[in-house]
Amino acid sequence: MIGFRLSAQKPPEAKRVKDDVVMRFDHVYEVDPALMTEHTPQQDIPAWDTLRIVDSRWEHLAWMHDHFADSVLSGEELLEEIGAEEGTA
Amino acid sequence: MAVAALPDTLVDELVAICGEDHVFTGRSALFNRARVPSPFPKHRWEEFIPQAVVLPTSAEQVSEVVKLANRAGVPVVPRAGGTGLTDGAVPLKHGILVDVKLMDKILEIDVEDRTVTVQPGINMLKLSEQLKPLGFIYPDNPASYPCSLVGGRIGTSGWSLIGGRYGHTRDLVISFEIVLPTGEIIHVGDGGGKKVRKSSSGYQLKHLFMGHQGTLGIVTEATLELVKRPEAEFSAFFAYKNYEDAWKATGDFARSGLATLAGVVLFDEWKVKYLRRDDEAYIPQPDWVNGVVAVAMYGQKDEVRAGAKHLMRIAKENGSHYLGDEISQGDWASRHDRYATPQHGRTRDGQVALMSWHCEDASILYSQLPAVREKWHAVADSLRERFDMFDDWGMFAYTNGAFKSWGDYLTEIDIGIWEMKWDDESWAAWVDAKREIARIAVEHGGSISACHGSCREGEVDLVPLELGGGFEVMKKIKRTLDPKNIMNPGKYLLDQAYEEGGE
């Protein structure tokens, strides 16, 4: 079992990405804490829990694809093919 | 308002029918079955609780409960997943609530004739999990896919996100067994054969008993289509500078004639603005993105691949901007999340408030979508101006046909509601707004509801206007099949059938 690690508990400082959005981990967005002061106070979430939730989310999406079909086709690959056929790729 | 308890003798009779472990009269069992996810007047919660809950395990038990209710003159309210958005499972006049969740068995899988027969309490996701190892799927796919049940889908005549390819609930349910309001058990379908898809024998009763919101009986068994599991899925999300371009592209895709096309979804600029608040797919989008269109295809790999390539050529020609595989695949896979994800609403000053998701839906012709959109948003804006508890979360329009993608659209406006703020004044304003949204749909040649049903306060007032003489026939059918008005009374204005002879 891995013991206590401060880096696993304390999230990095937030970077502002938009007027009402901040980011602590790459591509993991959060509502600006200033908008969560009156009716819905923010809770402290340890860094490891945020990352666990994000990983679980990706697992869930992969599961949902697999639930409905054996494979998922790529639009990017199809666009490349079309571009090659038209001589624009 | 306290609700009178059922007489002990009646409860004893319910126990004799269903067994001691399957009859509940405690507060938590009753209150938990008082509401559905549609907006609910929490400040009047006690007006809607049942007096007893039973969980039968067979059609015979359901029949005996209904016969007992007729003898005692007590209402019966059927309930499956309780995920409906038009109060079908809400006991408006108390009574006995029949919860079918214990009737969740697969009774037969017929690989030869491609049917699966189930009890009404089974969930579609769980059913498809069982079918997957055999190479099949049951593709009735509402937003509530992980939590709604087959019985409720029949009771509401549900709509499926991939109905353009596989049809909707009415198309995927071949036949079913139903306990009538007087307790008789009958079977309805196309003709008499349980597994027959098309018959010209007799009246087409399947449709009569589909979408009645529990007013005409309780389904106890259903025979469903057993569909070959798709080899391939393709989803693509495209961005546009404005709504007009997105609407035109939607028409291009929907009318493409591609057989594997399962659905096309149009997001308006209010929806994009809402998603930019806290959705990881939309926050990074550039400011010029004001409209989005999503498409989905299913089938054998060879046909999906060819169809998807054709569709991407259409997208190139009409100026659609592909948003990439990550968003296209991820956003499509998350299409069921609205029932499970807490939503972040905003008050007028921008503060976050936990609001419930709600959507008003209608069937709207493609040509009418732009005009209806303007009028519906005006209704939502007016609500928000008067009460800082409503939030306009934008509109989706989904292709609505079965086995085809052109024509009319399931059109919805999503409205966040801070439900802890309800009082009589705000509730009355909400009901007025719903009535206005329904009126706009009817005035534009549409239908009040594509998938939820139209029996809640507000929109239900417009049902006689929409159906005309058909509503008079509804009343006659109701009074004939349910002479004592036992089955889910108070819904669809059908109590009128019992006033002054129902004329």
Side-chain angles (χ1 to χ4, degrees), chain A:
Chain A
M1 179 181 168
I2 297 173
F4 177 88
R5 287 188 296 129
L6 183 61
S7 63
Q9 302 296 325
K10 190 180 172 190
E13 286 301 311
K15 291 181 285 189
R16 181 165 296 281
V17 292
K18 288 200 150 196
D19 284 350
D20 51 0
V21 179
V22 299
M23 185 170 71
R24 296 178 197 274
F25 299 99
D26 284 348
H27 309 298
V28 180
Y29 301 104
E30 293 178 30
V31 173
D32 184 347
L35 298 179
M36 301 184 72
T37 53
E38 287 185 32
H39 314 299
T40 314
Q42 274 194 316
Q43 301 173 35
D44 291 330
I45 298 182
W48 62 263
D49 208 14
T50 297
L51 296 172
R52 180 191 62 80
I53 292 167
V54 171
D55 287 346
S56 298
R57 177 75 177 153
W58 284 113
E59 273 187 15
H60 166 73
L61 297 179
W63 182 91
M64 193 57 77
H65 285 301
D66 183 60
H67 179 77
F68 275 88
D70 298 337
S71 62
V72 177
L73 303 185
S74 159
E76 289 171 7
E77 285 179 16
L78 290 172
L79 280 175
E80 272 183 33
E81 262 186 47
I82 292 169
E85 286 165 13
E86 294 174 349
T88 57

Side-chain angles (χ1 to χ4, degrees), chain B residues 346-348 355 379-392 415-418 421-433:
Chain B
R346 299 286 192 277
T347 56
R348 287 194 297 255
M355 296 184 179
V379 173
D381 288 349
S382 171
L383 266 179
R384 185 168 167 82
E385 279 169 20
R386 287 176 288 150
F387 302 92
D388 198 8
M389 57 179 281
F390 297 105
D391 192 9
D392 186 344
I415 296 179
I417 304 177
W418 194 355
K421 295 279 190 182
W422 283 126
D423 58 18
D424 286 342
E425 187 186 3
S426 55
W427 180 257
W430 167 247
V431 170
D432 287 345

Side-chain angles (χ1 to χ4, degrees), chain B residues 298-349:
Chain B
Y298 287 93
Q300 297 298 96
K301 195 167 185 178
D302 287 345
E303 60 179 349
V304 174
R305 198 171 194 292
K309 199 166 172 183
H310 183 90
L311 193 135
M312 292 304 260
R313 286 188 197 278
I314 295 174
K316 250 187 130 180
E317 286 164 13
N318 68 17
S320 301
H321 175 83
Y322 184 56
L323 284 174
D325 284 356
E326 186 175 311
I327 289 177
S328 295
Q329 295 169 10
D331 232 33
W332 180 246
S334 65
R335 62 194 179 280
H336 312 113
D337 289 2
R338 283 182 295 171
Y339 273 80
T341 311
Q343 306 280 359
H344 278 181
R346 299 286 192 277
T347 56
R348 287 194 297 255
D349 65 3

Side-chain angles (χ1 to χ4, degrees), chain B residues 90-265:
Chain B
V90 174
L92 296 182
K93 307 229 171 148
H94 314 295
I96 302 164
L97 190 143
V98 178
D99 188 331
V100 299
K101 286 192 193 67
L102 292 183
M103 298 175 70
D104 61 352
K105 309 289 185 300
I106 297 174
L107 302 175
E108 184 201 40
I109 297 173
D110 180 346
V111 174
E112 200 69 21
D113 292 316
R114 296 294 167 104
T115 64
V116 54
T117 299
V118 300
Q119 291 185 308
I122 196 166
N123 162 256
M124 287 82 71
L125 182 149
K126 288 294 171 190
L127 173 58
S128 288
E129 273 186 339
Q130 298 293 314
L131 299 177
K132 184 179 174 185
L134 304 173
F136 298 107
I137 191 169
Y138 181 61
D140 186 7
N141 187 222
S144 59
Y145 182 70
C147 48
S148 56
L149 310 180
V150 165
R153 298 292 290 160
I154 295 172
T156 56
S157 190
W159 174 93
S160 170
L161 282 152
I162 51 179
R165 174 78 167 91
Y166 298 107
H168 300 292
T169 307
R170 64 179 190 201
D171 311 298
L172 290 162
V173 175
I174 300 167
S175 71
F176 52 93
E177 178 185 81
I178 184 166
V179 175
L180 294 176
T182 42
E184 295 94 334
I185 304 172
I186 67 164
H187 180 265
V188 294
D190 254 44
K194 194 170 154 182
K195 300 177 182 178
V196 171
R197 272 79 168 184
K198 173 70 180 74
S199 163
S200 293
S201 178
Y203 290 173
Q204 301 298 300
L205 295 179
K206 184 179 95 172
H207 284 277
L208 174 61
F209 289 99
M210 185 158 291
H212 56 82
Q213 299 290 345
T215 62
L216 292 181
I218 303 174
V219 172
T220 48
E221 184 182 309
T223 299
L224 316 174
E225 294 285 0
L226 190 62
V227 176
K228 185 175 173 62
R229 179 179 151 79
E231 281 184 349
E233 172 188 270
F234 174 72
S235 56
F237 281 57
F238 303 101
Y240 305 86
K241 288 179 182 171
N242 54 56
Y243 175 82
E244 180 85 357
D245 289 349
W247 173 71
K248 285 179 181 167
T250 297
D252 293 341
F253 297 136
R255 294 186 291 248
S256 61
L258 294 166
T260 49
L261 188 59
V264 183
V265 189

